[in-house]
Amino acid sequence: MSIYKLSFKNLKRRKLRSALTMLGIIIGVATLVLLIGAGTGMQSYMKEQTETMMGDISIYNSSGGAFMGSSGDSYLNNKTVSQIKNMSQLYDIKEETQFTTEMNRIPLFVFGINKWDQVKFNGTAGLVIDQSLVDKFGYKIGDEITIKGKKFTVTGITQQSAGMGMGIVYLDVEKAIPLNDYKVTSLTASAKGDPESAKKDVESQVPGTMAMTQSDFTKQIDNMMNGIMLFIGAIASIGLLVGVISIVNIMLVNVTERTREIGVLKAIGFTNREILGSILMEAGLLGFIGALVGLVMAAILLQLGIIFFGPLLGMEEVSLIHMLPPWLVLAVVGGATVLSILAGFYPAWRASRFNVVEALRYD
């Protein structure tokens, strides 16, 4: 005979308390999945893009490259570029350059690129500007803009943005390098053999260079995101912990209110193990159902985030499967259920130890 088929006193009040307890679980799970899911999705997407968009090896000046247009010493000089291009271990070598300048008193970050699949934009390849320049100056495809005294025609517009009041321009590398005084930020290349061996050869044979393989970039992404994920996971887990603690309190109150009923159950033959199992099942169901609802809420919010913010971050191709991998779904639902069962163990153990006579006399 199941404990759920019996009539309990104050059923509506217990249902309300259970609903409020489940709400705590829902909010905790939704917050946890939302934060971890966003980080997981970004990590997965960045790794996929790294694998598909770059060559086997990327080569920079050992000072760290010329990102954001720093001093000329941080670029690869012509001698270095020629030496690398003559290495037999490498082929399909491509140049890239990046620099900062101004346009109409607005800081401008210029990317000279050779693979246009790195950028999501409307229009055609050639010279692509970001939405901030469209908003500030009203530029559209077909308009002319001037960069370092040279005129170019806008061929495309991207939603990607640097923020902080800085505009972005993506330009064919052949046109960008002359604007940057023929300075090369980096080289990408394919390796004829093992990329790790090619990396060592470049760094040993070409002084002042630093090489990175796809594996190196992936490790960097993992190291960076794992630290972030650990931090946000710890913060988000606080909400789930609060929900679990509330289960202990609610189950204790429910057990106290049901003292006489539990006495009746034991009087008609229920064993301590059956009482314990029934109450643990109730606690587990609270956690399980709350986790499912929280998961659905988080999925809806993540999908809305993809729709509204994906284009701004250049991540239109990221999908919900990136953000909600099976391991995260199973871990959250299973973890919330197990924690809820553990939270309900003391109230269940206490109920199973009620003395029948004393329980029947309880008012």
Side-chain angles (χ1 to χ4, degrees), residues 14-36:
R14 288 201 296 271
K15 284 185 175 181
L16 178 60
R17 282 200 297 263
S18 296
L20 291 175
T21 302
M22 192 181 298
L23 181 61
I25 297 290
I26 291 171
I27 294 174
V29 167
T31 303
L32 185 65
V33 173
L34 193 62
L35 293 176
I36 294 182

Side-chain angles (χ1 to χ4, degrees), residues 300-312:
I300 292 172
L301 292 174
L302 287 171
Q303 186 61 49
L304 290 174
I306 293 171
I307 294 172
F308 292 109
F309 298 108
L312 297 177

Side-chain angles (χ1 to χ4, degrees), residues 92-247:
D92 193 24
I93 300 172
K94 294 183 172 65
E95 299 176 347
E96 291 187 344
T97 192
Q98 302 169 14
F99 60 92
T100 56
T101 183
E102 284 190 359
M103 185 176 67
N104 299 333
R105 297 184 179 180
I106 297 296
L108 196 66
F109 192 8
V110 180
F111 287 91
I113 59 177
N114 50 60
K115 293 184 67 176
W116 281 95
D117 55 0
Q118 299 178 46
V119 186
K120 306 299 184 296
F121 60 93
N122 296 320
T124 58
L127 185 140
V128 175
I129 62 175
D130 74 340
Q131 188 63 39
S132 69
L133 296 177
V134 175
D135 296 337
K136 289 175 182 175
F137 304 115
Y139 290 135
K140 59 184 182 294
I141 295 175
D143 287 350
E144 284 192 345
I145 66 173
T146 302
I147 303 175
K148 286 194 169 184
K150 188 173 179 60
K151 291 185 177 181
F152 297 91
T153 300
V154 176
T155 61
I157 297 172
T158 178
Q159 296 297 315
Q160 295 174 228
S161 175
M164 299 179 292
M166 176 175 282
I168 294 181
V169 169
Y170 296 94
L171 183 63
D172 283 320
V173 69
E174 293 84 2
K175 298 177 181 178
I177 286 182
L179 293 178
N180 198 26
D181 299 324
Y182 296 92
K183 297 173 183 175
V184 176
T185 302
S186 63
L187 296 172
T188 61
S190 298
K192 293 182 179 179
D194 178 26
E196 287 294 333
S197 298
K199 168 187 171 180
K200 293 177 181 178
D201 290 340
V202 170
E203 292 180 338
S204 62
Q205 297 176 24
V206 186
T209 60
M210 173 184 68
M212 296 186 69
T213 63
Q214 286 188 7
S215 177
D216 292 330
F217 279 106
T218 299
K219 289 177 182 177
Q220 278 194 347
I221 293 171
D222 285 339
N223 292 336
M224 176 184 69
M225 294 304 300
N226 287 342
I228 296 174
M229 297 280 288
L230 183 62
F231 177 71
I232 64 177
I235 294 177
S237 296
I238 295 174
L240 181 59
L241 182 61
V242 171
V244 170
I245 292 174
S246 69
I247 288 180

